[in-house]
Amino acid sequence: MPEKNLIYIIGFMGSGKSTAGKRLASALGWSFIDLDRKIEEFAGKTIPLIFSQDGEDHFRKIESDVLKSSGQLVKTVISTGGGTPCHGDNMDFMLNTGVTVYLKMTPAQLAGRLLGSSGERPLLRNVPDERLPAFIEEKLAYREKWYCRANLTVDGISLNIDLLKSIINSGSGN
Ligand code: S3P
């Protein structure tokens, strides 16, 4: 397992990455950052505005740059965006610089959590409610190729932060 100074929380939109990241950081006594908020600070506008004014490719470029500058941090838990691991060499970068934790949920669980959140999530903007479960199923199946490379996979619903903390502290990664 790589140096344990950085932990990246990865997973689909709506899987609770920020909440889990904050709780894990607090349990470890580490700092916490949310990559989406850092991107917004860097760009000086919200993520929906970056997508609508500058396009997704521009968002992915900023996302990768902000991720890589965060790679210098120590003792920090970083919650990433749902698409972060799946673009460019971001997943390799995270695997090389920290411990990656995949917060796994089923499409049905994600659909329940994502209903009504299209205002803050540009990728869901044109997905009608009745298409949401199928959209999630397809996109998750595609993205799991990256998510499954994580050092650890944990159930996002029954997440036990103390157990996760002890696994990370033991450095076993199993
Ligand atoms: C995205 C997920 C979002 C945000 C952006 C793109 C994605 O973050 O980075 O809207 O590609 O899945 P959350 O996973 O925190 O919603």
Side-chain angles (χ1 to χ4, degrees):
M1 197 180 257
E3 281 293 311
K4 291 185 289 175
N5 277 329
L6 280 177
I7 297 169
Y8 298 98
I9 310 289
I10 68 170
F12 205 77
M13 292 175 270
S15 57
K17 299 179 293 287
S18 301
T19 305
K22 273 183 212 154
R23 289 179 58 211
L24 180 60
S26 149
L28 290 164
W30 288 17
S31 305
F32 167 76
I33 65 165
D34 183 319
L35 200 68
D36 284 341
R37 300 293 82 76
K38 289 279 162 199
I39 292 168
E40 292 183 330
E41 273 170 35
F42 178 86
K45 51 182 141 180
T46 64
I47 288 176
L49 271 184
I50 304 173
F51 269 74
S52 63
Q53 295 181 347
D54 311 314
E56 180 170 352
D57 287 353
H58 186 70
F59 170 80
R60 296 300 172 196
K61 166 86 176 83
I62 304 179
E63 179 179 51
S64 194
D65 289 350
V66 173
L67 172 72
K68 286 170 188 177
S69 62
S70 306
Q72 318 302 321
L73 298 169
V74 291
K75 296 200 169 182
T76 303
V77 179
I78 301 176
S79 70
T80 62
T84 310
C86 319
H87 289 89
D89 61 352
N90 294 346
M91 189 66 198
D92 287 329
F93 177 82
M94 291 190 276
L95 287 166
N96 287 332
T97 54
V99 175
T100 44
V101 179
Y102 171 30
L103 214 52
K104 189 174 170 123
M105 284 191 192
T106 65
Q109 288 162 343
L110 291 165
R113 295 165 62 97
L114 284 169
L115 259 184
S117 71
S118 59
E120 69 212 64
R121 293 191 163 95
L123 293 189
L124 302 182
R125 214 186 46 206
N126 298 318
V127 182
D129 287 356
E130 63 277 14
R131 266 274 306 150
L132 189 62
F135 172 86
I136 293 170
E137 199 149 332
E138 269 166 41
K139 201 152 198 75
L140 181 62
Y142 177 72
R143 288 185 165 180
E144 277 209 314
K145 291 194 280 289
W146 288 274
Y147 296 158
C148 290
R149 295 178 63 204
N151 298 110
L152 296 166
T153 295
V154 294
D155 182 337
I157 295 286
S158 60
L159 179 63
N160 181 333
I161 290 291
D162 289 331
L163 181 62
L164 181 55
K165 176 185 162 187
S166 58
I167 293 170
I168 284 168
N169 279 336
S170 76
S172 72
N174 295 312

